[in-house]
């Protein structure tokens, strides 16, 4: 499979749809993941086997994988709240 302008025109909107279905919102995050998806597609396009799945199924899997990596990085980020609820008043009192 060749990832080129025709591919982007045909499947670009579907890729954005799959990204949003993975609970990614906001232009910056969506664009970041969209770029990562295309990088992944270019690296893995040679492994696509049309006898095993439709292109749309393969794309959905690739997008899910990139989104999972994105959420894992966000969760493990030093900026993450580690699942704690932080109240603004507590932050103001504790500096």
């Amino acid at each position: 499979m060749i990832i080129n302008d025709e591919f982007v025109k045909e499947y670009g909107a579907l890729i954005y749809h799959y990204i949003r279905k993975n609970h990614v919102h906001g232009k910056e995050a969506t664009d970041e993941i969209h770029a990562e998806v295309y990088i992944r597609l270019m690296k893995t396009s040679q492994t696509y086997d049309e006898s095993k799945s439709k292109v749309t199924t393969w794309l959905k899997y690739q997008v899910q994988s990139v989104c999972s990596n994105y959420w894992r990085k966000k969760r493990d980020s030093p900026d993450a709240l580690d699942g704690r609820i932080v109240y603004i008043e507590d932050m103001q009192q504790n500096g």
Side-chain angles (χ1 to χ4, degrees):
M1 171 180 305
I2 298 172
I3 310 300
N4 57 19
D5 289 340
E6 285 182 36
F7 182 91
V8 172
K9 286 178 187 174
E10 186 168 351
Y11 296 106
L14 182 63
I15 290 171
Y16 272 114
H17 172 74
Y18 287 154
I19 291 169
R20 287 188 298 275
K21 283 191 76 150
N22 278 275
H23 308 288
V24 177
H25 306 285
K27 182 170 177 27
E28 187 175 318
T30 303
D31 288 347
E32 177 184 338
I33 290 175
H34 194 255
E36 288 294 322
V37 167
Y38 279 104
I39 291 168
R40 182 180 181 99
L41 294 178
M42 287 187 270
K43 289 180 180 178
T44 63
S45 63
Q46 302 305 317
T47 64
Y48 171 69
D49 183 351
E50 65 184 36
S51 69
K52 292 185 179 181
S53 70
K54 296 189 282 185
V55 173
T56 54
T57 303
W58 180 74
L59 283 175
K60 187 175 183 178
Y61 171 78
Q62 299 300 321
V63 171
Q64 285 175 334
S65 180
V66 171
C67 288
S68 292
N69 291 340
Y70 170 82
W71 287 117
R72 191 175 304 109
K73 286 177 190 174
K74 291 280 280 182
R75 181 194 66 207
D76 296 342
S77 165
D79 296 332
L81 296 176
D82 298 325
R84 295 174 283 158
I85 297 175
V86 177
Y87 296 97
I88 294 174
E89 296 84 16
D90 293 339
M91 289 176 58
Q92 290 171 343
Q93 290 174 358
N94 296 327

